[in-house]
Amino acid sequence: MIHTSETMYKYLRPDKKFPHVWCAGCGIGIVMGALVRAIERTGFTKDEIVLVSGIGCSGRMSTYLDFNTLHTTHGRALSFATGIKLANPELNIIVVMGDGDATAIGGNHLIHTCRRNIDLTALIINNNIYGMTGGQYSPTTPMECKASTAQYGTIEKPFDICKLVEACGASFVARSTTYHAKMLDAMLSRAIDKKGFSVVEALSQCPVQYGRRNKKGSAVDMMMWYKDNSLSNPAFKKIPPGEVGEQFPVGILVDLDEPDYLERYSQIVKKAGGDRL
Amino acid sequence: MKRHKDLLLHGNEACAMGALAAGMRLFAGYPITPSTEIAEFLSVELPKVGGTFIQMEDEISSMGAIIGASLAGVKSMTATSGPGFSLMQENLGFAAMAEIPCVLVNVMRGGPSTGMPTRPSQGDVMQSRWGTHGAHPIIVLSPQSVLECYTLTIHAFNLAEKYRSPVIMLMDGIVGHMWENVQLPEKIEVIDRPEPSVPPDWYNPYDNLPGGEIVPLVPFGEGYRYHVTGMVHDKSGYPTLIHEEVEQCLDKLIYKIKNNLHDIIRIEEYMLEDADICIVAHGSVARSAREAVNIARNEGLKVGLLRPITLWPFPRFHLENISKKVKLFVVPEMNYGQVYGEVLKSCPKRAVRVTRVDGELVTPAQIMEKIEGAAL
């Protein structure tokens, strides 16, 4: 624990903008802890990391961590990150987004970043709700759930973020939860090291805006639900189709070795007779 | 890139060449008429100089990508037209708020909405000034010729770096699609981003320095770790809601432009010394206006031309000085009178407009008709 606290302290901006904005019981702090441990494990210096975030509860993470940090507009974090990476390929860029940020307003940017396979790491914190604006339903709110804009229950089919990004061509796709915090930091360090576009979905409880309205219990109850319903990918695949209830796979779901955008672009430069990288 | 002495160039091509000459090394854009040639040209030329061309999924992400590139220390640009310009407003506001140098080219076409993609217009004069939410100043340049598409694009990058601000090249569809024989200047001035004068621990990217000096933007990755946000921020870049800090943050945006109007504003005067009537025109319309001045002078009418090269900040003081000498302003535009409104602010009751929104250019005859009708 002492070691963990020391590590966290090393990466926080303690004298700047604390206390943080997250509610008691929120999972985003756990995810931030996992991210810090993952970065520590990869051995990159603070100067080599750029942390880009979108808008919403998760978007505030960039304020608290001592890297080159960029808090962008809602849904557009991947666009800004793309520009940074293309301008300076030496930088390691981690993009933190929420579920609404990444898959609703930023959905177009997400699918095209997957398709281009740009060497970025996307951390999508999925709490199934728009927390900061007061609990409106997001593209990952399950069917028939209550939200402040779905008082009679949601009628829209939710996205499975991992399936979405896999279909769009991401090189590395993994899922973990705030219950599986150590697995989450392992997934994140793999994702940061991975060349190409990697996506890690972190399921994270929002007891205040999502849990309370949907009688999911306390933050701990919600984390226990992650524990009880998660399976390793091989175990999940053994469940016959049609019998999958609320269960979901965690761990590495996709791990491909494909040339990333910059590798391909260097071929273009060569064809044009230019000189770069 | 070799600089030839005599070139037959297209306005959009000259704009792209100017950007390369200014050191632009990342272009992110989305196809849209009538700006597309800029992207096409740069997709060929940027790889040759080791730069990056990327076609993004839309104009929103194009604007985001050029902001990111600039933060990583690379001069960057995007180009678009009306509908795309509307989509870029969100991140244009971000660039203004976070003080990120970058250049946005808008080759104006007929609007509103899809409007007339293949017909020119000057309908975005006000959108270029007031298109984002909130209030911030902006620098907007308007070229009238193919040569100016080249020289003003270089100037746009210089202003962007000097004032840490997005700069808009507001070209109309005629200027963008016009072919002219041009001689590119042998020598050009290129302003690059200055180095920081303080070590990382002392660096405040949004500091209010005495004398209005602008803090250099240090690229990400060079040991100056700081926070950039579109939220109102304090001098170190962190979000703030403290009244004094909010005011400082927003006032600074205004004053860094307002205190440097003499440096930013460029105008051209033609035969204004003894004029009774002053035509105010920019872009391709200024070419027709110049011809109208020549015709009027042949007829013995004392007509001159004021051409704002810098559209925003608007050359209000120049206009007010001229208004002491002239009796009437004639403002021809390819819109319903957007610059006309600005002229009225300075010289109420003494301005008339010549408008054209049918996708055709304003002719010298049209301007003459108004001048002759003014019966001075």
Side-chain angles (χ1 to χ4, degrees), chain A residues 220-237:
Chain A
V220 174
D221 293 332
M222 292 176 81
M223 289 168 77
M224 291 307 285
W225 186 89
Y226 293 147
K227 175 184 181 246
D228 296 339
N229 287 282
S230 55
L231 289 168
S232 72
N233 201 29
F236 180 79
K237 278 183 175 163

Side-chain angles (χ1 to χ4, degrees), chain A residues 11-13 16-18 21-22 28 32 35 50-73 77 94-97 123 125, chain B residues 94 220 225-231 237-239:
Chain A
Y11 288 94
L12 289 178
R13 286 166 165 163
K16 303 285 183 176
K17 288 294 163 187
F18 281 86
V21 297
W22 301 317
I28 298 176
M32 183 166 84
L35 178 63
V50 179
L51 189 69
V52 183
S53 66
I55 295 287
C57 298
S58 58
R60 290 306 184 96
M61 193 185 287
S62 61
T63 318
Y64 308 132
L65 294 176
D66 187 20
F67 302 109
N68 305 284
T69 55
L70 174 60
H71 182 208
T72 67
T73 43
I94 299 159
V95 187
V96 183
M97 297 169 283
L123 165 57
I125 303 175
Chain B
F94 184 97
F220 275 177
R225 295 187 304 277
Y226 56 93
H227 188 59
V228 177
T229 176
M231 299 183 82
Y238 298 101

Side-chain angles (χ1 to χ4, degrees), chain B residues 162-211:
Chain B
K162 203 168 172 184
Y163 295 106
R164 259 184 75 177
S165 169
V167 175
I168 297 169
M169 275 290 283
L170 197 64
M171 296 160 46
D172 57 64
I174 294 175
V175 168
H177 275 181
M178 182 159 61
W179 290 88
E180 283 185 296
N181 234 348
V182 290
Q183 280 199 334
L184 299 183
E186 298 269 338
K187 276 190 180 169
I188 54 166
E189 188 202 7
V190 171
I191 297 176
D192 288 319
R193 209 166 292 180
E195 299 276 322
S197 54
V198 295
D201 284 351
W202 296 1
Y203 182 66
N204 283 312
Y206 299 96
D207 211 351
N208 278 295
L209 295 178

Side-chain angles (χ1 to χ4, degrees), chain A residues 13 16-17 46-47 50 60 62-63 66-74 76 79-80 82-84 86-88 91 108-109 112 116 118 261 265 268-269 272-276, chain B residues 26 44 46-58 60-61 64-65 67-69 71-72 74 90-91 94 220-221 223-231 234 238-239:
Chain A
R13 286 166 165 163
K16 303 285 183 176
K17 288 294 163 187
K46 291 178 182 179
D47 290 327
V50 179
R60 290 306 184 96
S62 61
T63 318
D66 187 20
F67 302 109
N68 305 284
T69 55
L70 174 60
H71 182 208
T72 67
T73 43
H74 195 21
R76 323 294 178 211
S79 318
F80 287 68
T82 297
I84 298 171
L86 298 184
N88 184 356
L91 294 168
N108 199 28
H109 311 310
H112 288 278
R116 287 190 194 107
I118 292 192
Y261 183 89
Y265 190 77
I268 297 278
V269 173
D275 183 22
R276 181 192 154 110
Chain B
L26 186 137
V44 176
L46 269 170
K48 290 185 191 169
V49 294
T52 309
F53 168 87
I54 185 166
Q55 183 172 311
M56 296 298 286
E57 56 271 18
D58 55 25
I60 301 169
S61 52
I67 294 171
L71 266 169
V74 170
E90 180 194 31
N91 285 339
F94 184 97
F220 275 177
Y224 289 70
R225 295 187 304 277
Y226 56 93
H227 188 59
V228 177
T229 176
M231 299 183 82
D234 61 18
Y238 298 101

Side-chain angles (χ1 to χ4, degrees), chain A residues 138-153:
Chain A
S138 86
T140 62
T141 307
M143 286 278 260
E144 292 166 25
C145 275
K146 296 267 171 68
S148 71
T149 46
Q151 305 280 354
Y152 305 106

Side-chain angles (χ1 to χ4, degrees), chain A:
Chain A
M1 277 308 283
I2 290 164
H3 174 70
T4 305
S5 304
E6 276 175 4
T7 307
M8 280 309 291
Y9 190 76
K10 181 177 154 193
Y11 288 94
L12 289 178
R13 286 166 165 163
D15 53 339
K16 303 285 183 176
K17 288 294 163 187
F18 281 86
H20 58 68
V21 297
W22 301 317
C23 308
C26 174
I28 298 176
I30 298 173
V31 179
M32 183 166 84
L35 178 63
V36 162
R37 290 190 297 274
I39 291 170
E40 171 87 352
R41 194 183 296 183
T42 58
F44 289 117
T45 66
K46 291 178 182 179
D47 290 327
E48 291 170 318
I49 301 279
V50 179
L51 189 69
V52 183
S53 66
I55 295 287
C57 298
S58 58
R60 290 306 184 96
M61 193 185 287
S62 61
T63 318
Y64 308 132
L65 294 176
D66 187 20
F67 302 109
N68 305 284
T69 55
L70 174 60
H71 182 208
T72 67
T73 43
H74 195 21
R76 323 294 178 211
L78 285 169
S79 318
F80 287 68
T82 297
I84 298 171
K85 187 69 188 178
L86 298 184
N88 184 356
E90 302 291 311
L91 294 168
N92 291 280
I93 300 157
I94 299 159
V95 187
V96 183
M97 297 169 283
D99 43 310
D101 200 29
T103 67
I105 188 164
N108 199 28
H109 311 310
L110 178 67
I111 62 176
H112 288 278
T113 312
C114 292
R115 183 177 66 80
R116 287 190 194 107
N117 199 27
I118 292 192
D119 187 16
L120 306 169
T121 303
L123 165 57
I124 304 177
I125 303 175
N126 180 4
N127 62 4
N128 310 98
I129 203 86
Y130 286 91
M132 187 165 273
T133 44
Q136 298 77 27
Y137 68 96
S138 86
T140 62
T141 307
M143 286 278 260
E144 292 166 25
C145 275
K146 296 267 171 68
S148 71
T149 46
Q151 305 280 354
Y152 305 106
T154 50
I155 53 171
E156 297 176 23
K157 211 170 148 182
F159 271 141
D160 178 325
I161 294 176
C162 290
K163 278 188 185 165
L164 174 70
V165 297
E166 178 184 357
C168 296
S171 275
F172 181 91
V173 182
R175 181 192 279 124
S176 189
T177 80
T178 48
Y179 177 82
H180 307 85
K182 285 192 81 173
M183 186 207 281
L184 182 57
D185 64 62
M187 296 296 107
L188 281 167
S189 54
R190 288 282 300 269
I192 294 166
D193 282 334
K194 179 80 190 179
K195 200 161 187 213
F197 186 55
S198 8
V199 180
V200 175
E201 180 188 10
L203 297 180
S204 171
Q205 73 279 5
C206 175
V208 174
Q209 299 293 3
Y210 174 67
R212 184 172 50 90
R213 276 197 185 83
N214 291 288
K215 301 192 168 53
K216 301 283 183 191
S218 67
V220 174
D221 293 332
M222 292 176 81
M223 289 168 77
M224 291 307 285
W225 186 89
Y226 293 147
K227 175 184 181 246
D228 296 339
N229 287 282
S230 55
L231 289 168
S232 72
N233 201 29
F236 180 79
K237 278 183 175 163
K238 282 182 195 148
I239 306 176
E243 286 176 33
V244 181
E246 289 184 312
Q247 287 160 311
F248 57 90
V250 290
I252 296 171
L253 306 177
V254 175
D255 191 359
L256 306 171
D257 281 314
E258 285 190 351
D260 71 315
Y261 183 89
L262 280 164
E263 200 178 324
R264 291 198 164 114
Y265 190 77
S266 62
Q267 297 299 315
I268 297 278
V269 173
K270 213 180 254 176
K271 276 186 199 168
D275 183 22
R276 181 192 154 110
L277 305 179

